[in-house]
């Protein structure tokens, strides 16, 4: 899918002054917000942005303060699974 943004020239100039690769920055912002909103997983963010590894994805999300969605209930379920597998 191609996405086209129409911006007034002076706004585009200001944004490009801050972010030389404006299309990439916009794509990253979209991916990060989709992750924060729990629309995309970290793996889907990685795919969307063509990142090489999970570590690179985690670094991007951490920089954007888009923290891992991992609740106390998730931890309890993971611990229960580990016990069932005899790993804890």
């Amino acid at each position: 899918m191609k996405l086209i943004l129409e911006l007034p020239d002076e706004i585009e100039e200001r944004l490009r002054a801050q972010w030389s690769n404006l299309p990439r920055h916009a794509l990253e912002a979209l991916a990060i917000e989709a992750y924060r909103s729990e629309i995309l997983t970290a793996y889907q963010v990685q795919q969307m942005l063509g990142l090489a590894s999970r570590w690179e994805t985690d670094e991007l999300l951490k920089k954007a303060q888009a923290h891992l969605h991992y609740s106390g209930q998730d931890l309890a379920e993971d611990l229960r699974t580990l016990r069932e597998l005899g790993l804890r």
Side-chain angles (χ1 to χ4, degrees):
M1 173 177 116
K2 289 186 181 186
L3 180 64
I4 298 172
L5 299 174
E6 292 188 28
L7 301 170
D9 292 341
E10 64 273 5
I11 301 293
E12 179 186 358
E13 289 172 16
R14 274 191 86 129
L15 294 173
R16 282 192 189 276
Q18 284 296 116
W19 305 309
S20 60
N21 190 344
L22 184 54
R24 178 62 185 193
H25 190 82
L27 185 63
E28 287 179 2
L30 179 63
I32 290 164
E33 185 55 33
Y35 178 79
R36 279 190 184 120
S37 300
E38 298 185 30
I39 296 167
L40 295 180
T41 65
Y43 179 70
Q44 290 168 322
V45 169
Q46 180 179 342
Q47 288 180 309
M48 182 175 169
L49 300 178
L51 300 174
S53 69
R54 172 61 195 241
W55 305 116
E56 195 175 347
T57 306
D58 287 346
E59 181 180 335
L60 174 90
L61 294 171
K62 183 179 178 183
K63 239 180 179 175
Q65 296 181 355
H67 303 289
L68 176 65
H69 305 294
Y70 194 79
S71 67
Q73 183 176 350
D74 293 330
L75 176 61
E77 288 174 13
D78 286 347
L79 288 172
R80 187 172 33 257
T81 300
L82 288 172
R83 285 187 194 106
E84 289 172 5
L85 295 172
L87 300 174
R88 177 89 170 106

